[in-house]
Amino acid sequence: MNKPETLPARGRPREFCVDRALAQALRVFWTKGYDATSLTDLTEAMGITRPSLYAAFGNKESLFRKALDLYEREKMFYVGKALAEPTARKVVEAMLRGAVENMSGCDEPHGCLRIIATVAGGPDSQSIRAELMERGKLVHETIIDRFRRAQRDGDLPAHLDVVGLADMLKALFQGISVQATQGATREELDRLVDTSLLMWPSA
C-alpha cells in the first residue's frame, strides 16, 4: 500500500513570539510617541526584520493600534475598576492613583501613551490622533455618565456642572502625564492627587 504524501507546510513559520514583539513595540511607542518612532526603532526593539513586521502586524499605523489595544488592556485596567467604586470621589481617587502608578512605574516608560501620542502628533499622523481622541472621548463620556448617576444618587450636588468636573479630571490626567515625563517623582505626583482631592465638592 502506498503511503499518503505529506503536504508541504504553507509558508515559513514565524521565528519570533508575536506577543513579546508587540510588547516591545508598545514600549518603544510609549517612550518616543508615534511620530518619533521609526521602523528601525521598532524592528531593532522587536528583534525582527521589516518583512516580518509587515507580515505579522501590517504597517506602522496598524502596529501602533495593536500596541494601543495592549496598553489599554494591561496598563489602563484601573479605569474600569475605578468606575465601579461606590462614590464619585472614590472613583476619581482610584483613577488618579491608578494613573500615578501607571505613569511613574520604575520599570516602565513614564507618562501616558495616549496623551504622549496625541500631543506630539504631527500632520502625518492625523488618523492616529483622530482615533486617540475618539477613544479618549468615549472614556470621558463614560466618566460624565458616572458623575450624573452620582448626582441622581445625591452623592454630588445637584447644581454641579459634571461636564466641567470631568474636564478637570481630564486636565489632571494630562498634568500627571506631563509631569511624569519630565521626571516628577512618585511622591510629588501623589501629593498632587492629595491636593486635588481636598478640593472635591461635597454633596
Side-chain angles (χ1 to χ4, degrees):
M1 180 180 296
N2 294 331
K3 294 178 64 177
E5 294 183 3
T6 302
L7 294 176
R10 294 184 178 180
R12 296 181 60 187
R14 290 190 181 127
E15 298 176 352
F16 63 93
C17 173
V18 173
D19 290 342
R20 182 180 180 281
L22 182 59
Q24 293 301 318
L26 167 58
R27 191 175 185 87
V28 176
F29 283 128
W30 193 354
T31 301
K32 306 187 72 170
Y34 178 80
D35 280 25
T37 297
S38 68
L39 284 173
T40 299
D41 293 331
L42 291 167
T43 54
E44 288 181 353
M46 298 164 77
I48 62 177
T49 63
R50 288 196 184 191
S52 294
L53 186 154
Y54 293 136
F57 302 105
N59 58 16
K60 176 185 169 183
E61 186 173 313
S62 176
L63 174 58
F64 178 79
R65 286 190 168 93
K66 290 181 173 66
L68 182 59
D69 289 339
L70 177 63
Y71 178 80
E72 291 177 345
R73 279 196 312 274
E74 294 193 350
K75 308 302 180 182
M76 295 194 68
F77 65 91
Y78 64 87
V79 174
K81 289 181 64 177
L83 287 167
E85 290 288 342
T87 66
R89 189 185 189 283
K90 286 184 177 296
V91 167
V92 170
E93 181 172 11
M95 282 192 178
L96 292 176
R97 301 290 185 201
V100 168
E101 183 175 356
N102 179 45
M103 298 183 201
S104 62
C106 296
D107 300 324
E108 301 282 11
H110 287 183
C112 172
L113 169 63
R114 287 167 47 165
I115 294 172
I116 292 168
T118 302
V119 173
D124 295 333
S125 58
Q126 289 303 308
S127 63
I128 289 295
R129 290 191 68 204
E131 177 160 343
L132 286 164
M133 292 175 70
E134 185 62 28
R135 293 192 189 203
K137 181 181 176 182
L138 291 173
V139 174
H140 193 59
E141 290 174 349
T142 300
I143 292 170
I144 292 172
D145 289 343
R146 179 63 183 84
F147 288 167
R148 284 178 175 149
R149 177 157 64 88
Q151 270 187 325
R152 292 194 298 271
D153 294 343
D155 179 40
L156 284 175
H159 67 274
L160 187 69
D161 177 5
V162 293
V163 175
L165 188 63
D167 288 343
M168 184 185 74
L169 180 59
K170 179 180 178 181
L172 284 169
F173 271 110
Q174 293 170 338
I176 290 171
S177 177
V178 170
Q179 292 193 38
T181 57
Q182 293 178 348
T185 65
R186 176 70 176 269
E187 181 181 8
E188 290 169 335
L189 296 176
D190 280 335
R191 187 164 61 243
L192 172 62
V193 174
D194 292 339
T195 303
S196 300
L197 291 171
L198 289 175
M199 298 184 290
W200 186 255
S202 57

